[in-house]
Amino acid sequence: MKERNITLPLKEMPRQWYNIQADLPTPLDPPLHPGTKQPIGPDDLKPIFPMGLIMQEVSQERFIDIPEEVMEIYSLWRPSPLYRAYNLERALGTPAKIYYKNEGVSPTGSHKPNTAVPQAYYNKQEGKKRLATETGAGQWGCSLAMACNYFDMECEVYMVKVSYGQKPYRRSMMEMFGAKVHASPTNLTKSGRDILAADPNSLGSLGIAISEAVEDAAGREDSNYSLGSVLNHVMLHQTIIGQEAKKQLALVGEYPDYVVGCCGGGSNFAGIALPFIQDNLREDKNVRCIGVEPAACPTFTKGKFTYDFGDVAGLTPLLKMYTLGHNFMPPGIHAGGLRYHGQSPILSRLYHDKLMEARAVGQEGAFEAALTFTKTEGIVPAPESSHAIKGAIDLALECKEAGEEKTILFNLSGHGHFDMTAYDDYLAGKIKDVDYPQEMIDQSIARLNELLGN
Ligand SMILES: *Cc1c(COP(=O)(O)O)cnc(C)c1O
């Protein structure tokens, strides 16, 4: 029998997160105040974030210690397994070696608890009793609900209305952990009421739910806001993934030529890729790191690198990032976690400086890759993760064409056990590719330019 599962002993688990801000050739542009459009400092973020996370957001230290309390909870599922996908390789007939890191083994089924746990921890440290957040498909809501549960905090979740209806079991899971879940837009916040006044039947969006959660947190002394992707401290926390993967590959004498992950707000891709980009920057390695996004929400490949809001109402600071414009309404593809108008400022900087690559894939191709993966490796992937699988399969086929025995590492960001409606639709032939028309992107960017006086 072949060794497929490369386990890392608990005592080998990395004890620090890696902060790429220490190694960026071009420093990040500062966030701007939503009203004055002037650069903001750490103090401006205090109404909704704890100082512990704000300091990480702007830190230039290369490594940051993981608190012992966080390590304790991480050890419920970490180190996560790394697998060699022998069956997939054979099915593709590729000379390439394919490895994948399985983040689907976490309690809530994705990589998101890697940041939910430290976020709850730092808020608790600073006396907060309650966190407000948004969730799309429910992965982030479940992860923060779990983390709040462990730190004895309340958790208020604004869940995009269309998912609230479509993913009832994600809501049940959040409630099992003790969270309160609302279908957003709600009439509990001004942002929600404004949207409902304009369109009583609004199905919501991530951008609207973020406005509601930020408003909720800003209005209460005992509460803070929590975001599951995009921000620098989230990218930082996720680097546990790539650091573990590097150690696991070293155990079998391997080092990747390609590192692949799907991209929504960028956190799982950053998690697996940043520790390798570190090697490119500091040790003269030449790993090609490739983020895979849906063609229906092509932030890197069709977006613009500019300042934009993180939400629809314009309550968040302006971040310099690749964006499709905050008014952009992504088509209703099944990979809900990839339907966001913006990208992580860190990844945006790297992409702009050509230190990472991006590809866009259609929904049908991603589902087809998911089925191939299920049949070969036995795991039902999250529809988001299927984009990474598609990316890895395409690379493996390019290797076959060129007769190259390259090593490919991809991140399986989560399992798809709560996404069976999507797979039912695919099997029934109801999934079609929806490309986001360039015209609508242009309109959305034009509105943004007008607003910012560009
Ligand atoms: C949320 C989510 C994503 C997308 O978010 P990123 O911040 O880009 O990682 C991808 N995969 C899964 C399973 C998710 O839950």
Side-chain angles (χ1 to χ4, degrees):
M1 262 189 302
K2 288 174 175 160
E3 200 78 66
R4 293 167 192 268
N5 178 352
I6 303 150
T7 34
L8 192 70
L10 181 61
K11 64 178 191 322
E12 293 292 321
M13 188 163 117
R15 303 200 138 254
Q16 295 179 310
W17 293 300
Y18 166 60
N19 179 19
I20 197 162
Q21 286 195 68
D23 294 321
L24 284 179
T26 326
L28 299 178
D29 295 290
L32 306 181
H33 189 278
T36 65
K37 316 259 189 316
Q38 293 304 306
I40 58 169
D43 279 352
D44 295 299
L45 296 170
K46 264 164 69 178
I48 56 167
F49 292 114
M51 228 36 212
L53 293 175
I54 295 171
M55 294 324 284
Q56 292 181 352
E57 191 64 19
V58 299
S59 171
Q60 302 294 313
E61 292 288 315
R62 184 165 293 121
F63 289 100
I64 295 177
D65 288 341
I66 306 175
E68 200 51 41
E69 291 90 332
V70 172
M71 289 293 284
E72 277 290 327
I73 300 176
Y74 273 181
S75 72
L76 285 170
W77 73 95
R78 306 210 71 85
S80 71
L82 178 83
Y83 289 95
R84 170 91 184 259
Y86 282 112
N87 293 358
L88 177 61
E89 289 170 18
R90 199 176 317 116
L92 299 174
T94 178
K97 300 177 211 168
I98 306 176
Y99 290 88
Y100 64 95
K101 183 80 167 148
N102 188 359
E103 290 296 309
V105 300
S106 83
T108 56
S110 78
H111 65 291
K112 291 201 170 73
N114 296 333
T115 184
V117 173
Q119 288 196 39
Y121 168 82
Y122 289 108
N123 277 290
K124 176 80 177 184
Q125 285 290 94
E126 292 175 36
K128 295 295 165 182
K129 297 192 163 54
R130 179 175 169 278
L131 290 178
T133 197
E134 72 290 330
T135 197
Q139 285 274 20
W140 170 244
C142 285
S143 303
L144 194 68
M146 178 196 84
C148 284
N149 159 70
Y150 279 121
F151 290 106
D152 236 342
M153 299 171 78
E154 288 174 47
C155 185
E156 204 86 16
V157 183
Y158 294 85
M159 184 172 190
V160 179
K161 192 178 275 170
V162 61
S163 305
Y164 187 90
Q166 280 175 357
K167 307 239 164 137
Y169 300 128
R170 277 275 168 211
R171 173 168 50 79
S172 313
M173 189 176 190
M174 289 183 251
E175 288 171 352
M176 285 182 77
F177 281 121
K180 250 194 240 137
V181 189
H182 310 281
S184 163
T186 72
N187 53 20
L188 301 171
T189 65
K190 178 176 181 303
S191 320
R193 287 189 296 270
D194 285 353
I195 296 283
L196 289 174
D199 176 10
N201 299 318
S202 166
L203 292 176
S205 74
L206 216 44
I208 294 169
I210 294 176
S211 298
E212 290 210 271
V214 168
E215 188 184 325
D216 173 322
R220 283 181 61 158
E221 188 51 41
D222 67 347
S223 302
N224 263 343
Y225 167 71
S226 190
L227 186 63
S229 187
V230 180
L231 299 179
N232 304 341
H233 65 269
V234 180
M235 305 300 127
L236 172 81
H237 300 152
Q238 294 293 353
T239 58
I240 186 91
I241 303 172
Q243 292 186 84
E244 281 180 10
K246 209 190 275 185
K247 286 187 158 194
Q248 284 162 307
L249 285 172
L251 289 175
V252 288
E254 292 275 14
Y255 192 85
D257 298 293
Y258 297 102
V259 174
V260 181
C262 65
C263 284
S267 72
N268 88 87
F269 173 75
I272 196 150
L274 296 185
F276 292 98
I277 294 178
Q278 174 194 16
D279 291 354
N280 288 349
L281 292 171
R282 287 176 58 78
E283 292 179 24
D284 241 19
K285 295 276 193 195
N286 200 10
V287 188
R288 285 179 59 190
C289 295
I290 303 173
V292 186
E293 60 186 13
C297 189
T299 318
F300 278 127
T301 53
K302 298 270 178 71
K304 191 178 166 194
F305 189 42
T306 183
Y307 275 104
D308 194 7
F309 295 104
D311 67 328
V312 167
L315 301 178
T316 69
L318 290 152
L319 301 174
K320 179 88 174 275
M321 59 186 176
Y322 276 87
T323 179
L324 296 167
H326 63 279
N327 284 306
F328 162 75
M329 261 292 178
I333 55 166
H334 280 284
L338 305 183
R339 289 177 69 220
Y340 184 62
H341 66 272
Q343 254 304 335
S344 134
I346 287 181
L347 293 185
S348 295
R349 186 78 251 172
L350 291 170
Y351 183 68
H352 192 73
D353 291 349
K354 304 202 163 29
L355 297 168
M356 64 165 278
E357 302 166 45
R359 293 182 177 187
V361 303
Q363 179 162 241
E364 264 186 282
F367 271 101
E368 193 188 325
L371 246 69
T372 303
F373 191 71
T374 301
K375 286 180 176 167
T376 51
E377 298 298 317
I379 295 175
V380 177
E384 290 85 358
S385 318
S386 307
H387 291 71
I389 299 172
K390 170 70 174 150
I393 288 178
D394 286 349
L395 285 169
L397 294 175
E398 287 163 30
C399 289
K400 179 177 175 178
E401 191 78 12
E404 289 176 334
E405 194 191 301
K406 298 270 166 117
T407 301
I408 301 166
L409 166 67
F410 77 86
N411 196 22
L412 186 70
S413 55
H415 69 63
H417 296 182
F418 288 92
D419 302 286
M420 286 307 165
T421 320
Y423 286 109
D424 267 351
D425 285 353
Y426 177 69
L427 293 174
K430 289 192 218 158
I431 300 272
K432 292 278 169 293
D433 274 346
V434 270
D435 271 342
Y436 188 66
Q438 185 67 46
E439 215 175 294
M440 286 174 75
I441 299 176
D442 293 345
Q443 278 172 14
S444 170
I445 299 278
R447 279 177 73 179
L448 178 63
N449 284 339
E450 212 172 291
L451 193 75
L452 299 179
N454 285 352

